[in-house]
Amino acid sequence: MTFRLGIDLGTSTTVAVLSSSGTIRPLLFDASPLLSSAVLAGAGPDLLTGLDAERAAAARPAGLEANPKRRVDEGTVWLGEREYPVAELLAAVLRRVADEARRVAGAPVGEVVLTHPAAWGRTRLTVLADAAARAGLGEVGLVPEPVAAAAYFATVRDLRAGQCVVVYDLGAGTFDVSIVRVGPTFEVVAASGLADVGGLDLDAAVVEHARALTPGATEAWARLNWPQSPEDQQARRALWVGARATKEQLTRHATADLHLPLVGKDLHLTREEFELAARPHLDRTVALTVSLLRGAGVSPEHIGGVFLVGGSSRIPLAATLLHRALRTAPTIVDQPELVVAQGSLLAPSIRAEVAPPTAELAPVPPPAAPVPPPAAPVPPPAAPVSPPAAPFVPPAPRPRGNRRWVAALLAVVLLALGGAGLKLWLDGRGSVMAEFEGHTDVVTAVAFNHAGTLVASASRDRTVRVWNPGTRAAALEHPLEAGTELRAVAFSPDDTLLAAAGADEQIHLWDLPSYTPHTLPATGARRFPIQALAFDRTGARIAVGGDGGIGVVLDARSGAQLAEFDALSSGFIRAIAFNPQQPDDVILGGSQSAILRYTTQDRGRGVEVPTGTRHGGNDVRAVAWSPDGTTAASAGADGSVLEWPLDQAGIAASTLGRHRGAADAVAFDRTGRTIVSGGADGRLRFWSATSHAAVTGLDLDAGSPVTAIAASPAADRLVTGSQDHVVRLWAVPSEKS
């Protein structure tokens, strides 16, 4: 009997299925088909996995990596007292699966197929193949996750050739959405995702709701947030296990109870309470889905099905919101966690070509004849992984004396090829994807929307312009007139509002997608020109700061003032940012050399954190939070770029490096492991958030002093604003994609 093994290596849980004689059945680990992807370096030589790793973490928390898949770009990871290759951490999980498969089969497994996110490139797939080899799986077939899901759903409902199916994958750690075109094979034509939305974030919403219901338990919550003893560690683990169980129960029942360790209280929660807390996250997933379909040119009549994948897709509200937005009832199965693993054995293991989320596609042909479901699993040919691409190296500067004739020669060659890319070759900045021109003064702020389908830029020319990074052209024919010199711009998390602010002491808002304008009186009784603006993660509140050292938090719809920060007795606030994980946590930067931290309940002066390294007595020009809300980065007028460990009291900031001249912009990538900064020297510089060193080979020539930076949600693009009035779209080098 020949056995085939399909593995869905997930961020938080791993699923594996075994096939023989046309029957596919899941493997069980600790009596469950869901194997925790956690890995722990214990006292012995072997890495522990699954529940063994989670149980041992109470005694050895420094040895635990709960989500090794998220570390795929890092190369190596410190666990406990030594460094491990990331491939070895993934191999430990795969080895556990391989051992169980051999035990159940009673014989060696003949063929192994691994699934992977549709957007993974060659570098990441090489790490996955390396992990499989270390685990003793040999050469494996690779299948994109949405292709596997579509192949499975083709067995449960009829799909017509030419139709597009939507795969909505809400897992424990991330959200991914893909559009798959049905044909002789399944083709991924567009894909995108959110790294900060998943089941873990919904667990966090339960915890935050519980915290709000117990305002008097400050000391207990401090111990749960920052455990200092084994007892605190165990209590924190019990809290989060309980929050997950409560979330899962509320997907099946109207009520659930949650015990709060250390707080000493039991809460009775309802589904309505949970849905209210979860709604902002789920709204973002639906908005991204709609935006992806719109960008791919797929109309409702060409949608052959909306398929829900991943354990958190069980939440009834997810299906309800999708049904309302797409006018198509989603399809979900009893065990959505198993879909991708089962489908991996039904799809040919040929890597699909993934188009950018906003790429223009050929018109979708009308549906043809139904595609019959496969009668039996199709044996996929094992496909070796291609060697990794050469590392990105910025082009060397050309000698000035030869520039004219080299340019002329290149012009002749490129014009013969249709002129494509002429400007990019001549200016020597090969990673520039597009240059958006239209502003008539300095670009002061830029922002991606949360779907990654739009870019907004604000300028001193009193306008906001909106660009389409997919088509690399203006999304709006005419700019949005604000009538004042602008300093800040931002999209709301659900992409329903675009906000900008500046010298006229008001917030200018446009409803999306209609771009209907309205304004908020931004500063109440204390009026000041605005230099910084940010939405909180719910989109319900806006924080602004500016001249006079004042900051306020407002209701994003009514303009009602909710909090006020008297940051400085004089001077100004140049930068403001909400913590992406703690909606009441705000950092400010301005005419002081350190950053200040507030909660939205604070009155009066905030807390200067941490002590030690500062921006040399100069003002802070930009601030940014890491995606996990534990670290901040800042850029200063003295040219320095600092990283602040805000989860560790009393630890000084680290200087990452310096620009020649002021550093005016800073941002994290979505992993939180890379920081990019820009400055008056016209350079884009990349820094490691873990080693605090410059990333070799990624110091790019921006062509003009950089005044603003934003990273795309998928971390594959950057957008910059410059002193030369140009907005530039950049491809992030392959190591960061």
Side-chain angles (χ1 to χ4, degrees):
M1 186 178 296
T2 301
F3 288 90
R4 300 171 64 229
L5 176 64
I7 306 173
D8 175 20
L9 177 60
T11 303
S12 296
T13 57
T14 293
V15 175
V17 296
L18 201 60
S19 170
S20 64
S21 303
T23 301
I24 298 177
R25 54 177 173 166
L27 295 177
L28 299 182
F29 307 91
D30 303 309
S32 169
L34 306 181
L35 170 65
S36 169
S37 298
V39 176
L40 182 131
D46 297 329
L47 291 169
L48 301 180
T49 59
L51 289 182
D52 294 339
E54 293 183 353
R55 283 191 290 262
R60 300 179 65 87
L64 179 70
E65 174 48 61
N67 310 113
K69 187 176 176 182
R70 281 186 170 174
R71 313 295 291 273
V72 67
D73 295 322
E74 294 190 23
T76 59
V77 174
W78 275 96
L79 292 185
E81 300 170 355
R82 58 165 290 193
E83 192 175 34
Y84 291 86
V86 172
E88 183 56 35
L89 303 187
L90 299 176
V93 180
L94 296 176
R95 195 176 295 118
R96 174 83 179 272
V97 172
D99 291 344
E100 182 64 16
R102 283 190 287 266
R103 188 190 70 79
V104 172
V109 177
E111 186 175 20
V112 180
V113 180
L114 291 178
T115 64
H116 61 84
W120 273 24
R122 188 177 301 165
T123 301
R124 291 175 174 177
L125 293 178
T126 300
V127 175
L128 186 60
D130 182 15
R134 291 170 183 255
L137 295 175
E139 193 174 86
V140 298
L142 298 173
V143 177
E145 291 164 1
V147 170
Y152 173 83
F153 279 107
T155 68
V156 298
R157 60 179 294 180
D158 290 337
L159 297 174
R160 297 178 182 274
Q163 285 183 319
C164 288
V165 298
V166 178
V167 179
Y168 175 98
D169 187 351
L170 186 57
T174 60
F175 167 71
D176 295 288
V177 59
S178 305
I179 301 171
V180 182
R181 180 177 284 139
V182 179
T185 60
F186 295 98
E187 176 195 3
V188 179
V189 294
S192 191
L194 298 171
D196 58 346
V197 175
L200 297 175
D201 301 285
L202 300 178
D203 297 345
V206 173
V207 172
E208 289 302 313
H209 182 63
R211 189 198 312 270
L213 294 176
T214 54
T218 305
E219 182 179 349
W221 280 107
R223 292 173 61 190
L224 289 169
N225 288 339
W226 310 113
Q228 301 297 315
S229 67
E231 292 77 13
D232 291 353
Q233 292 276 5
Q234 292 171 5
R236 177 177 171 83
R237 170 170 163 72
L239 169 67
W240 285 87
V241 169
R244 177 179 177 180
T246 298
K247 174 196 70 179
E248 293 174 350
Q249 184 173 335
L250 289 173
T251 67
R252 304 184 298 271
H253 303 284
T255 63
D257 294 326
L258 173 63
H259 175 69
L260 302 180
L262 300 183
V263 177
K265 188 172 183 178
D266 294 308
L267 298 180
H268 186 71
L269 304 179
T270 66
R271 179 179 289 179
E272 289 75 17
E273 289 176 281
F274 170 67
E275 289 184 344
L276 184 64
R279 180 70 182 264
H281 298 289
L282 298 179
D283 279 343
R284 289 182 61 197
T285 67
V286 174
L288 181 60
T289 302
V290 172
S291 178
L292 191 68
L293 286 164
R294 184 182 296 121
V298 178
S299 58
E301 58 268 23
H302 290 138
I303 298 177
V306 179
F307 302 136
L308 305 191
V309 179
S312 293
S313 67
R314 279 195 176 95
I315 296 170
L317 183 60
T320 300
L321 295 175
L322 278 170
H323 194 177
R324 290 174 184 168
L326 304 181
R327 302 193 299 277
T328 300
T331 299
I332 189 169
V333 295
D334 289 339
Q335 292 184 291
E337 303 95 336
L338 307 185
V339 166
V340 171
Q342 291 174 328
S344 70
L345 299 181
L346 303 175
S349 55
I350 299 173
R351 192 185 318 160
E353 292 295 330
V354 182
T358 55
E360 293 187 321
L361 304 175
V364 179
V371 178
V378 181
V385 178
S386 304
F392 175 89
V393 179
R398 297 180 177 86
R400 291 185 179 271
N402 297 332
R403 184 176 180 86
R404 183 172 299 174
W405 70 264
V406 171
L409 178 61
L410 283 172
V412 171
V413 174
L414 290 170
L415 286 172
L417 296 174
L422 176 62
K423 180 173 175 50
L424 301 187
W425 277 92
L426 293 184
D427 67 16
R429 298 192 303 279
S431 58
V432 177
M433 299 174 67
E435 293 188 338
F436 302 130
E437 298 181 350
H439 284 298
T440 58
D441 206 332
V442 175
V443 179
T444 53
V446 291
F448 270 97
N449 72 346
H450 291 74
T453 56
L454 293 175
V455 166
S457 57
S459 169
R460 291 179 186 169
D461 67 7
R462 305 185 175 191
T463 68
V464 173
R465 291 181 177 266
V466 183
W467 318 93
N468 186 325
T471 61
R472 304 177 192 179
L476 294 179
E477 183 178 355
H478 301 290
L480 303 173
E481 300 286 346
T484 187
E485 180 178 308
L486 295 173
R487 295 287 183 175
V489 68
F491 287 93
S492 64
D494 61 1
D495 289 339
T496 61
L497 284 175
L498 173 61
D504 67 352
E505 306 174 350
Q506 291 184 320
I507 298 176
H508 297 266
L509 295 171
W510 292 270
D511 291 319
L512 302 179
S514 66
Y515 292 98
T516 303
H518 51 103
T519 59
L520 292 179
T523 55
R526 303 183 67 177
R527 302 180 66 84
F528 54 86
I530 298 169
Q531 299 205 43
L533 174 151
F535 281 94
D536 76 352
R537 70 175 188 180
T538 70
R541 297 176 297 178
I542 299 177
V544 295
D547 292 359
I550 304 167
V552 297
V553 177
L554 307 167
D555 184 286
R557 291 291 179 178
S558 69
Q561 185 169 311
L562 305 176
E564 181 175 303
F565 307 140
D566 190 4
L568 302 165
S569 58
S570 62
F572 51 83
I573 295 171
R574 287 284 300 266
I576 193 165
F578 276 101
N579 188 323
Q581 302 299 327
Q582 303 289 340
D584 289 327
D585 196 0
V586 183
I587 53 174
L588 311 175
S591 52
Q592 69 281 321
S593 59
I595 62 174
L596 299 177
R597 188 178 192 178
Y598 291 83
T599 70
T600 55
Q601 287 79 29
D602 285 336
R603 302 286 177 175
R605 188 174 178 84
V607 180
E608 184 178 307
V609 289
T611 58
T613 306
R614 302 162 68 93
H615 282 287
N618 290 278
D619 63 278
V620 179
R621 297 288 182 88
V623 295
W625 280 100
S626 63
D628 64 3
T630 63
T631 307
S634 60
D638 64 343
S640 62
V641 182
L642 304 184
E643 184 183 18
W644 307 77
L646 299 185
D647 61 338
Q648 304 176 56
I651 297 181
S654 299
T655 300
L656 302 178
R658 292 182 180 274
H659 287 264
R660 295 176 182 174
D664 287 308
V666 68
F668 281 87
D669 76 349
R670 73 169 180 182
T671 68
R673 296 189 291 272
T674 303
I675 298 168
V676 60
S677 62
D681 56 3
R683 310 299 297 181
L684 286 178
R685 304 199 65 189
F686 294 79
W687 316 93
S688 168
T690 52
S691 69
H692 302 156
V695 181
T696 304
L698 299 187
D699 182 2
L700 305 181
D701 176 11
S704 176
V706 177
T707 51
I709 293 176
S712 70
D716 57 348
R717 293 163 294 170
L718 292 171
V719 63
T720 60
S722 298
Q723 202 169 74
D724 63 359
H725 316 167
V726 178
V727 177
R728 292 180 174 87
L729 182 69
W730 301 79
V732 174
S734 60
E735 290 83 357
K736 304 290 173 287
S737 61

